[in-house]
Amino acid sequence: MSTRNAVHDLTLAAMVAALYAVLSYFSNIFGLAYGPIQFRFSEALCVLPFLFPATAPGLFVGCLIANLLSPYGVMDIVVGSLATLIAAVWTGKIRRWWLAWLPPVVCNTVLVGFTIGFAQVGLTAALPAAWIYNGLTVGIGELGVCLALGTILLRVMPQIKFFRALIPEGRLTHA
């Protein structure tokens, strides 16, 4: 990788990190960023690694920053941010644009659902039920954001000359 590409990738990741954090805090104004029912506008960005694999670390850092306000504490800062990183790397490996929503939905349903359930009931007999409930509510919100807003990003960004030039070769044929 050339220095120019490394700087380009780092800049792109940093911009996505900042945008993710700002959009999460904006969602929080409406009570949508944390809790069992989440509709983080920032989660739409989780489909970007399909077009721009270099955005994966930025999504992780942005989520880490956003989760500093989480009412679920250190566990959400760590597990929630790792869920985003795993989803972003997985999304970067997806070959069909219409499946780019799947990794964020699956990872957040399982990992964030567990985190919220654990924060609510701890290691008790109620944990499986709390995990399932919170996983479903988080997953539904994630599905809504990734399908609605994420699909718009995936379809519109390649049409914009500026972004089209940034998409790695081979990704446009799949978009």
Side-chain angles (χ1 to χ4, degrees), residues 101-175:
W101 61 269
L102 184 62
V105 171
V106 170
C107 290
N108 282 287
T109 296
V110 174
L111 297 172
V112 176
F114 173 80
T115 300
I116 296 172
F118 181 80
Q120 291 172 339
V121 300
L123 284 175
T124 65
L127 180 57
W131 184 357
I132 291 168
Y133 171 77
N134 289 294
L136 287 174
T137 58
V138 167
I140 289 168
E142 188 77 12
L143 182 66
V145 171
C146 288
L147 276 180
L149 302 177
T151 297
I152 292 170
L153 283 174
L154 289 175
R155 300 311 292 164
V156 170
M157 289 185 83
Q159 305 306 316
I160 300 169
K161 187 177 179 181
F162 176 80
F163 292 116
R164 187 179 187 88
L166 299 175
I167 298 171
E169 193 169 323
R171 286 299 188 170
L172 283 176
T173 59
H174 300 291

Side-chain angles (χ1 to χ4, degrees), residues 2-171:
S2 72
T3 304
R4 181 175 179 264
N5 287 343
V7 170
H8 171 269
D9 289 351
L10 181 61
T11 303
L12 185 59
M15 289 185 330
V16 167
L19 187 57
Y20 185 100
V22 167
L23 286 172
S24 293
Y25 292 150
F26 180 71
S27 297
N28 194 39
I29 292 170
F30 303 102
L32 300 172
Y34 308 100
I37 298 174
Q38 297 183 7
F39 197 84
R40 281 189 186 185
F41 306 123
S42 54
E43 286 296 308
L45 300 174
C46 289
V47 301
L48 287 181
F50 175 81
L51 294 174
F52 311 102
T55 60
L59 289 165
F60 169 70
V61 171
C63 186
L64 185 78
I65 292 167
N67 284 346
L68 292 174
L69 291 183
S70 172
Y72 305 109
V74 174
M75 187 166 176
D76 194 28
I77 293 168
V78 174
V79 177
S81 302
L82 285 174
T84 297
L85 179 61
I86 293 165
V89 170
W90 182 9
T91 301
K93 295 180 183 314
I94 294 287
R95 294 293 162 223
R96 303 275 189 269
W97 73 268
W98 47 270
L99 288 176
W101 61 269
L102 184 62
V105 171
V106 170
C107 290
N108 282 287
T109 296
V110 174
L111 297 172
V112 176
F114 173 80
T115 300
I116 296 172
F118 181 80
Q120 291 172 339
V121 300
L123 284 175
T124 65
L127 180 57
W131 184 357
I132 291 168
Y133 171 77
N134 289 294
L136 287 174
T137 58
V138 167
I140 289 168
E142 188 77 12
L143 182 66
V145 171
C146 288
L147 276 180
L149 302 177
T151 297
I152 292 170
L153 283 174
L154 289 175
R155 300 311 292 164
V156 170
M157 289 185 83
Q159 305 306 316
I160 300 169
K161 187 177 179 181
F162 176 80
F163 292 116
R164 187 179 187 88
L166 299 175
I167 298 171
E169 193 169 323
R171 286 299 188 170

